[in-house]
Amino acid sequence: MRSDAIKKGLERAPHRSLLKAMGYTNEEIRRPLVGVVHAHNEIIPGHIHLDKICEAVKTGVRIAGGTPIAFATIGVCDGIAMNHSGMKYSLASREIVADSVEIMANAHPFDALVLIPNCDKVVPGMLMAMLRVNIPAIMVSGGPMLTGRYRGKDVHLVSVFEGVGRVKANTMTMEELNELEEAACPGCGSCAGMFTANSMNCLTEALGLGLPGNGTIPAVSSARIRLAKQAGMSVMNLLAEDIRPRDIATRDAFENAMAVDMALGCSTNTVLHVPAVAREAGVDLPLTTFNEVSVRTPHLCSLIPGGPHSMQQLDEAGGVAAVMSEMDGLHPEVMTVTGKSLRENLEGVASRNAEVIRPLTNPYHKVGGIAILYGNLAPDGAAIKQSAVADEMLKHAGPARVFNSEEEAQEAILAGNINAGDVVIIRYCGPKGGPGMPEMLSPTSAIIGMGLGKSVALITDGRFSGGTQGACIGHVSPEAAECGPIGLVEEGDRIIIDIPNQSLQLEVTDDELEKRRANWQPPAPKITTGYVARYARQVTSGSTGAVLKDK
């Protein structure tokens, strides 16, 4: 066993002594040592209950003959970090999560790992570490939050963000917003809806690195505790069979996960995270792969925020496994953490609700939920959640309204200075320029709340929350801070968006762009000290997953 390096033989007596200092018995030391990596803290609703998930995992490990040893990593709540300087640290935290798990798993040579994330950057960070360390491992998330209820309607965190715009537009009173605020987030779990956290937890399951139910079983359900115990037991089987993450996360498995991404209508943040995770597995996933998969994968589920159905309804309909059972073109023989192939896992599985999970013969859209747009405004690509775009905005042309920060744009939107037909440009918000590629949930929600969701587009080199809906195009690459064309746009320039044809054009001649480029000056760094300053110097483009440079 890998842990023999710290527990066997004469020279390991000091190591055993340190283990005994914590109360471990000789019998516990002799057993396989299983690291139980959790992100429990008291600042994230999705993580507040992970101590209970951790205890359930440890029970499962003990049942199956292992010795569980828990340790923690960091997490950032994107909702709480939104619309202030804290958002510069969110995406950057993914690398810290991955590095910290790698450090702990290798400094203390565990035989296997169970990883317990729940929220946006923690899930991909743990997946990256899982594949980097490549010892038998399984992931079990904390599960989604239930939707809230407000005056007879399902509500969620994004309802509150949009409520701010409604108050400004005088279509909601402050008293009504206060009532909504009390009701929107009813308890623990990752925010209700197919936002980034739930997207990544579903894709973990589709990739084969989480058990069936990982993405959809509600956080408050006893089934989530049982799933955690099963994960603890299952990792011991993976150890016995020497099945490792890279045996599971093959090119075929990533294509399966991307197809599920399209069928579910997941967050555009998956365009950042899936290639970053694949890179750790040694699998090359260029951005163009998303369009290739999208073209052949119908959109089968219309989930919050772009549609009416909740995560709880998706779970009741059969969850991710039921979605996969409806799909064609998957690679069925890939291995999964159940120790069985995907084909074996899906035997006898079927959708229980043909409206929540539509059949291929009646999809919500004939193509997948995400599209990558290209053109002279985004030579290296830009991402949009096309399943959450109103039909009126699939093709749109209008004048650019240019802002060099989210704060400037938010102020203009809430002041009523954005008009129907405008194309809001928010730039210098990319991985380097942000720094940290901040999410734009506040301005996108304000646009919806102000009643402009079917007449105004927003384009940024930053990114969007999975809670974003509307004609919101992010990850524009190259970013403005690298003198990408988005940094050369001027107020009033005409922007042409054609989502069905995957096109994003700036109606300015090449000669004019070259003149502007010659006069362009790089902006001063917004943060000059600490981790995020180092991150800005080392991070790559959003088109390559915003991973850090190797050198």
Side-chain angles (χ1 to χ4, degrees):
M1 288 189 292
R2 191 169 180 259
S3 62
D4 287 349
I6 61 169
K7 65 186 188 184
K8 274 198 172 181
L10 171 65
E11 294 180 353
R12 297 299 179 260
H15 304 67
R16 293 192 295 272
S17 181
L18 288 168
L19 291 171
K20 289 177 180 179
M22 294 176 283
Y24 293 108
T25 64
N26 284 328
E27 175 58 29
E28 287 175 301
I29 294 169
R30 278 194 292 269
R31 293 178 179 180
L33 303 185
V34 179
V36 181
V37 191
H38 65 86
H40 171 253
N41 58 53
E42 297 180 350
I43 191 62
I44 306 178
H47 294 193
I48 190 70
H49 65 305
L50 293 189
D51 54 341
K52 297 177 178 63
I53 303 296
C54 181
E55 287 304 314
V57 167
K58 289 162 71 175
T59 297
V61 170
R62 291 191 185 102
I63 288 171
T67 297
I69 301 176
F71 63 92
T73 187
I74 66 164
V76 170
C77 178
D78 277 25
I80 295 175
M82 197 72 66
N83 200 28
H84 61 90
S85 61
M87 182 45 68
K88 300 181 190 305
Y89 292 81
S90 173
L91 180 60
S93 73
R94 184 187 70 182
E95 314 309 311
I96 294 289
V97 170
D99 290 350
S100 66
V101 175
E102 175 197 359
I103 288 167
M104 290 293 288
N106 286 332
H108 316 96
F110 294 105
D111 299 301
L113 294 173
V114 182
L115 302 102
I116 310 171
N118 214 27
C119 290
D120 293 27
K121 309 310 164 303
V122 184
V123 182
M126 285 193 179
L127 286 171
M128 291 163 69
M130 190 180 191
L131 288 157
R132 192 183 298 171
V133 176
N134 200 36
I135 59 177
I138 190 170
M139 184 172 283
V140 57
S141 77
M145 184 186 293
L146 298 179
T147 53
R149 295 289 292 173
Y150 169 74
R151 301 190 178 188
K153 295 181 179 180
D154 283 344
V155 291
H156 42 82
L157 176 66
V158 177
S159 306
V160 186
F161 274 97
E162 292 174 357
V164 174
R166 291 193 170 97
V167 171
K168 287 286 187 178
N170 296 315
T171 58
M172 175 180 271
T173 67
M174 195 63 213
E175 290 74 21
E176 288 171 331
L177 181 59
N178 289 339
E179 183 183 341
L180 173 61
E181 176 186 324
E182 295 279 348
C185 299
C188 66
S190 47
C191 292
M194 192 50 77
F195 309 147
T196 304
N198 291 329
S199 294
M200 289 306 302
N201 284 324
C202 287
L203 296 192
T204 296
E205 183 179 335
L207 190 57
L209 293 174
L211 292 172
N214 179 72
T216 59
I217 295 174
V220 297
S221 171
S222 61
R224 177 60 58 177
I225 297 296
R226 295 195 297 272
L227 186 74
K229 291 177 181 177
Q230 290 164 1
M233 291 185 279
S234 295
V235 81
M236 296 302 294
N237 179 62
L238 294 172
L239 178 60
E241 299 294 328
D242 195 28
I243 299 172
R244 303 181 180 223
R246 290 185 202 168
D247 299 327
I248 294 170
T250 61
R251 169 74 190 210
D252 284 352
F254 276 101
E255 288 190 4
N256 286 348
M258 293 171 79
V260 170
D261 188 344
M262 299 302 164
L264 289 174
C266 289
S267 162
T268 50
N269 279 316
T270 60
V271 175
L272 286 173
H273 299 320
V274 171
V277 173
R279 179 173 177 261
E280 299 289 352
V283 174
D284 182 34
L285 281 183
L287 206 55
T288 51
T289 313
F290 282 89
N291 280 345
E292 294 165 7
V293 175
S294 182
V295 166
R296 63 176 187 257
T297 309
H299 176 220
L300 303 182
C301 301
S302 187
L303 300 163
I304 295 168
H309 299 131
S310 67
M311 293 301 298
Q312 185 176 358
Q313 288 175 301
L314 177 60
D315 186 63
E316 292 167 354
V320 172
V323 175
M324 296 181 85
S325 75
E326 293 288 337
M327 297 172 66
D328 281 341
L330 297 177
H331 302 285
E333 299 307 322
V334 294
M335 177 56 66
T336 72
V337 289
T338 65
K340 300 177 182 178
S341 69
L342 175 64
R343 175 183 53 77
E344 291 173 299
N345 289 347
L346 295 181
E347 287 177 2
V349 174
S351 168
R352 304 186 196 111
N353 187 322
E355 186 62 19
V356 175
I357 304 172
R358 287 193 175 182
L360 288 175
T361 54
N362 183 35
Y364 283 97
H365 300 95
K366 292 181 180 179
V367 295
I370 291 175
I372 307 301
L373 311 184
Y374 292 92
N376 68 343
L377 187 54
D380 294 341
I384 186 165
K385 189 172 182 175
Q386 60 184 350
S387 60
V389 178
D391 290 343
E392 299 94 317
M393 294 298 291
L394 290 172
K395 292 187 177 183
H396 179 78
R401 303 295 307 280
V402 182
F403 303 95
N404 289 335
S405 72
E406 178 187 1
E407 292 78 11
E408 293 174 26
Q410 177 78 344
E411 182 179 347
I413 295 165
L414 293 178
N417 295 331
I418 301 301
N419 303 310
D422 286 349
V423 179
V424 175
I425 303 286
I426 306 179
R427 62 190 183 188
Y428 296 105
C429 294
K432 179 178 180 179
M437 209 175 182
E439 287 185 345
M440 302 291 159
L441 182 56
S442 292
T444 60
S445 297
I447 285 171
I448 298 294
M450 298 286 283
L452 298 170
K454 294 183 179 180
S455 61
V456 168
L458 191 152
I459 299 174
T460 181
D461 52 5
R463 59 193 178 90
F464 297 117
S465 160
T468 293
Q469 57 177 309
C472 299
I473 300 168
H475 309 196
V476 171
S477 301
E479 63 175 291
E482 295 282 9
C483 197
I486 191 172
L488 308 177
V489 179
E490 294 183 356
E491 186 81 7
D493 283 348
R494 185 174 169 83
I495 308 290
I496 303 172
I497 301 166
D498 186 344
I499 296 170
N501 290 305
Q502 300 164 354
S503 175
L504 183 61
Q505 294 290 336
L506 172 63
E507 205 171 60
V508 172
T509 66
D510 292 344
D511 287 345
E512 175 61 23
L513 282 178
E514 283 307 312
K515 289 178 184 176
R516 295 181 186 181
R517 184 171 283 111
N519 294 321
W520 179 84
Q521 294 292 325
K526 295 173 185 173
I527 297 178
T528 58
T529 60
Y531 169 65
V532 171
R534 297 197 305 274
Y535 175 88
R537 292 193 293 269
Q538 297 173 5
V539 71
T540 62
S541 168
S543 65
T544 56
V547 297
L548 298 184
K549 298 172 185 175
D550 289 328
K551 296 182 181 179

